[in-house]
Amino acid sequence: MLKVCSFLPAVTQMIYDMGLQEHLYGVTFECPQVALFEKNVVVRCVLEGKAYSSREIDRLFSESKRTGKSLYYVEEQLMEELAPDVIFTQDVCDVCQIDTAATSAAIAHLKKRPLLISITPNTLEDVFDNALTIAAAIGKKAIGMAYVERLKQRMSVVTARLKKYKVKTKRISLLEWIDPLFNCGHWIPDQIAAAGGVDLLSNPSGNSTVLQWEDLTAYDPEIIGVAPCGFTVERTLKEIRLLTDRTGWVTLSAVRSNAVYSIDFDLFTQSSASTLVDGIELLAALFHPEAIPFPKRLVHKIKRLSGVALLE
């Protein structure tokens, strides 16, 4: 049987979504809990278990990028024992996850050299293509096609309801980091558009970039989503005053209308096809509650800024 290792949580999630986890032998420390319980953790990070602030995390990752010294490492002896046929890696972000170059260097001395497949999406459609790539690499192309079709059908339901209710596009800002501020990039603007919104401060198909506070206040979004990469709702709320204490915060339209939300990162910055579709459904319900019912299964992944759960 083909043996694979996943060096990014999004791939691990999609492998489980498609029911192909019997082929999965090794994962990264940030993968979904079910994988951490069942599989070997072969990728580690020097920051594991540390309690850093957003500013400190940004500084450490920026320094890593500047020096070219990766914060991630591979358990090489364990990899030798597992002897995988395929390793899924990525090149979207060389600081947020271990990348192909670092992976290649780490496995250079293995007796069995696995095939490296880089999963590097820029758009939402790329993410769907990635699912097909993963399934095909495992020899289960038909399963991948059925998986993608189910997810696209869910999106079509959202689209149909938005058209039926003739909704007006909402002005959105979704933040990928708060100290410093970062806009959203890559596939997230596609998610926002599919949900009936637009984020004119975003960077579609490209990296998220530092966002000036003055630009955010001038844009004055109707709705603000705060979903720092790697942060749960609770982790974000611990540092939310980095936003709320800023000059001009209380005058923003989203703040005055109580439309600021802390949202779990995995609905956006984790590029697994199923979680991104979850994110679209959640955003559509926030943007257009008259057209889209809130998905109750996701209520634990979002809170209003006040900390009151959305459906309470």
Side-chain angles (χ1 to χ4, degrees):
M1 181 175 67
L2 189 81
K3 297 192 295 185
V4 306
C5 286
S6 167
F7 281 13
L8 62 161
V11 168
T12 299
Q13 182 66 59
M14 288 192 278
I15 287 174
Y16 270 86
D17 288 344
M18 290 185 281
L20 301 176
Q21 59 267 30
E22 65 175 333
H23 296 276
L24 184 61
Y25 280 71
V27 298
T28 171
F29 72 103
E30 291 182 305
C31 282
Q33 283 298 316
V34 62
L36 296 180
F37 179 74
E38 297 177 346
K39 308 299 180 180
N40 298 284
V41 178
V42 293
V43 178
R44 295 290 186 179
C45 179
V46 298
L47 304 185
E48 282 185 72
K50 305 295 195 325
Y52 291 113
S53 68
S54 294
R55 175 64 64 171
E56 289 170 330
I57 293 170
D58 179 71
R59 177 180 58 79
L60 288 165
F61 279 105
S62 296
E63 180 67 11
S64 170
K65 191 169 185 177
R66 185 185 67 81
T67 62
K69 185 177 181 180
S70 178
L71 298 174
Y72 303 94
Y73 61 95
V74 175
E75 299 283 7
E76 295 184 31
Q77 182 57 43
L78 183 53
M79 287 293 292
E80 187 74 71
E81 295 170 6
L82 294 177
D85 301 290
V86 175
I87 296 176
F88 294 106
T89 183
Q90 63 86 40
D91 291 294
V92 171
C93 179
D94 57 2
V95 294
C96 295
Q97 300 285 339
I98 190 169
D99 63 8
T100 302
T103 299
S104 183
I107 67 170
H109 303 296
L110 296 183
K111 292 177 182 178
K112 178 181 177 181
R113 294 296 297 274
L115 172 66
L116 297 186
I117 299 178
S118 178
I119 301 298
T120 306
N122 288 311
T123 67
L124 184 59
E125 192 59 36
D126 290 344
V127 175
F128 291 130
D129 288 342
N130 291 163
L132 299 177
T133 296
I134 294 164
I138 297 175
K140 303 292 183 179
K141 183 177 180 181
I143 290 177
M145 293 176 67
Y147 171 62
V148 169
E149 179 58 33
R150 290 194 301 271
L151 294 175
K152 288 192 172 183
Q153 178 59 36
R154 285 169 54 188
M155 286 181 59
S156 71
V157 170
V158 172
T159 300
R161 291 187 67 88
L162 295 179
K163 288 182 177 179
K164 176 182 177 181
Y165 283 83
K166 300 179 181 179
V167 302
K168 179 182 177 182
T169 300
K170 293 293 182 68
R171 191 172 67 255
I172 311 303
S173 180
L174 196 144
L175 304 175
E176 282 195 38
W177 203 250
I178 56 176
D179 190 23
L181 281 179
F182 271 76
N183 64 3
C184 66
H186 292 111
W187 50 84
I188 299 176
D190 296 338
Q191 290 179 274
I192 293 170
V198 62
D199 186 342
L200 296 180
L201 297 179
S202 66
N203 187 28
S205 304
N207 293 332
S208 61
T209 58
V210 173
L211 177 63
Q212 298 303 316
W213 177 247
E214 294 76 13
D215 292 335
L216 180 65
T217 56
Y219 178 51
D220 193 25
E222 298 173 83
I223 300 173
I224 295 176
V226 187
C229 185
F231 281 18
T232 61
V233 166
E234 291 74 19
R235 177 65 180 84
T236 297
L237 292 178
K238 289 180 179 179
E239 295 190 58
I240 202 65
R241 291 191 65 177
L242 294 170
L243 276 178
T244 61
D245 286 350
R246 285 179 176 267
T247 301
W249 172 258
V250 296
T251 66
L252 291 173
S253 294
V255 177
R256 288 188 285 108
S257 61
N258 197 27
V260 182
Y261 303 93
S262 173
I263 312 174
D264 279 358
F265 79 99
D266 62 352
L267 300 183
F268 306 109
T269 53
Q270 178 180 297
S271 60
S272 50
S274 62
T275 60
L276 296 191
V277 173
D278 284 345
I280 290 169
E281 292 172 337
L282 182 145
L283 289 180
L286 290 185
F287 300 169
H288 306 291
E290 74 281 11
I292 307 293
F294 190 88
K296 293 184 178 181
R297 72 185 187 284
L298 301 177
V299 69
H300 64 290
K301 289 185 166 292
I302 180 171
K303 287 186 179 179
R304 291 186 192 273
L305 186 60
S306 63
V308 178
L310 185 67
L311 296 185
E312 290 181 350

